[in-house]
């Protein structure tokens, strides 16, 4: 029987960001402008490029490139399970 008065266990934002760390890498299509807006500390890229980003479980960039297949291969090479982000 489920007790409806018991509080639900909620994962902290920190723990959620680390979920899959070292095991999962997220692949996301983005423009160089979107990439620079999300990661302003990364050296500027030419504007208007279509690229792919391989992101750590916490959303930090691992590598960027112009080929989804190359990033999938990079993930496998580093023993990371690639998953797509839409």
């Amino acid at each position: 029987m489920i007790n409806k008065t018991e509080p639900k266990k909620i994962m902290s934002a920190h723990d959620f960001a680390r979920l899959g760390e070292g095991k999962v890498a997220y692949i996301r299509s983005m423009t160089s402008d979107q990439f620079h807006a999300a990661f302003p500390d990364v050296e500027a890229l030419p504007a208007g490029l279509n690229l792919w980003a391989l992101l750590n479980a916490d959303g930090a960039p691992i590598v960027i490139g112009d080929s989804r297949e190359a990033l999938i291969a990079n993930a496998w090479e580093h023993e990371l399970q690639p998953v797509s982000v839409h």
Side-chain angles (χ1 to χ4, degrees):
M1 181 171 185
I2 297 174
N3 183 348
K4 293 184 180 181
T5 60
E6 265 186 51
K8 292 181 182 180
K9 293 181 182 180
I10 298 175
M11 188 180 292
S12 72
H14 175 73
D15 289 340
F16 183 71
R18 295 187 63 204
L19 186 64
E21 186 174 14
K23 296 178 183 158
V24 175
Y26 299 94
I27 297 174
R28 179 175 175 202
S29 172
M30 54 193 335
T31 66
S32 53
D33 301 322
Q34 291 170 319
F35 188 85
H36 184 64
F39 309 105
D41 294 339
V42 175
E43 190 173 318
L45 297 166
L49 292 178
N50 292 317
L51 48 88
W52 291 90
L54 186 65
L55 308 171
N56 198 356
D58 67 358
I62 297 171
V63 67
I64 58 172
D66 60 359
S67 164
R68 181 178 185 272
E69 292 76 19
L71 294 187
I72 290 172
N74 185 285
W76 285 120
E77 182 178 318
H78 291 94
E79 299 182 6
L80 297 168
Q81 173 66 51
V83 294
S84 293
V85 176
H86 300 280

